Amino acid sequence: MFEEISPKTNKSLLKNSFIALSVIGSLCFAAYFISSANSSATPVDFQYNLELEEFRSFVSRYNKNYKTEEEYYQRLRIFRDNLSYIRVFNSQGQTWYMGINQFSDLTHEEFSTAHKKKVSVPERSMSNEKPVAAASNLQIPSQVDWTTKGCVTPVQNEGDCGSPYAFSAVGAIESAWCIAGHQLVQLSVQEIIDCSGPFGNDGCNGGWMTNTYNFVIKNGITSQQIYPTTGNQGKCNTAKEKQVVATISGYANVTANNATALETAIAIGPVAVAVDAIEAGWRNYKGGIISSNCGHSIDHAVLAVGYNLNNSPPYYKCKNSWGADWGEAGYVRISIAAGAGTCGIQIDSSYPIV
Ligand SMILES: *[C@@H]1O[C@H](CO)[C@@H](O)[C@H](O)[C@H]1NC(C)=O
Ligand SMILES: *[C@@H]1O[C@H](CO)[C@@H](O)[C@H](O)[C@H]1NC(C)=O
Ligand SMILES: *[C@@H]1O[C@H](CO)[C@@H](O)[C@H](O)[C@H]1NC(C)=O
């Protein structure tokens, strides 16, 4: 009967569909009533069943394996807490929204323990900082996006190995190498995890982007194909390490707490940026432009691949290393603000020089 609908039949259509909807509605109500008659169901149960359904699809989508029934119900409880947190947040009309992702069954403590201090910020002496842009009247484009220029590799997932410093610095090297005229090639994050200990990094327990550049300045870096990601820290494979695929000659720190300085650096190429990603904002981020729910205490690193000053609010676009399913296909947009910047993005950033 619905196939016959045409715009001309307005009045009778409305009437017919009203009847149809009422019939369907009563059927649903009856079905719901019958199915729940034995358990004296209330609207609260109905809501619970919907959330249980959502939890089941979450469990299968992210291959969650809970060892006991007790854990299953504990995870369900956390998931439902987060679900209602997400709903309340999304009803507030912010510049961004939250959603379900691989972290939705974790408590705040679990998430922050796993992600805390995965970058270890060295002391930085501000006195010998040099501004990236020598000319103060340098005109930068109002919009930059390196992902549209074929010089950014696909989003990866660090999993349980706390190595965002390596993903962000290696991502910056991949892009710089490509922008310098070489082929875009995925470089080995695993080599950094396994081999850069003597340069101050600590494998899956954290490290720092400039330590990574220093390692690559000295040793070069091989490809992901030759020295692939394992998800764990292993012994340095020196035979693979010797098969150098890309090199850099140096790196630059971007002047801290200055949006113009970071934009200017991004206009040259992708920049490794340190951020505060412990708070609920990042954990639940699904899309839009983050402008709240994070602080300024650095605990994570991502790769800034662009910015847009024409948008309201203006934003940086960053590639994260939490898989392509997180955020906007693995990316996050962060509003541009003065000083330390949203989530501290302007506090400590750097880029390699080929
Ligand atoms: C998710 O729920 C857990 C348990 O109630 C809580 O610790 C955590 O903070 C919640 N996450 C968010 C983002 O609300
Ligand atoms: C860059 O900053 C780091 C700290 O983040 C510091 O250790 C290093 O000396 C600085 N390097 C340069 C070239 O300024
Ligand atoms: C920020 O950096 C820009 C470009 O590097 C420079 O022209 C400007 O003076 C800096 N602003 C502040 C407040 O330091």
Side-chain angles (χ1 to χ4, degrees), residues 131-133 136 258 260-261 264:
V132 278
S136 57
N258 182 327
T260 312
T264 307

Side-chain angles (χ1 to χ4, degrees), residues 259-287:
T260 312
L262 182 52
E263 290 152 12
T264 307
I266 296 170
I268 299 168
V271 174
V273 293
V275 288
D276 177 354
I278 282 291
E279 305 298 330
W282 283 67
R283 190 163 71 243
N284 294 315
Y285 174 79
K286 198 74 187 171

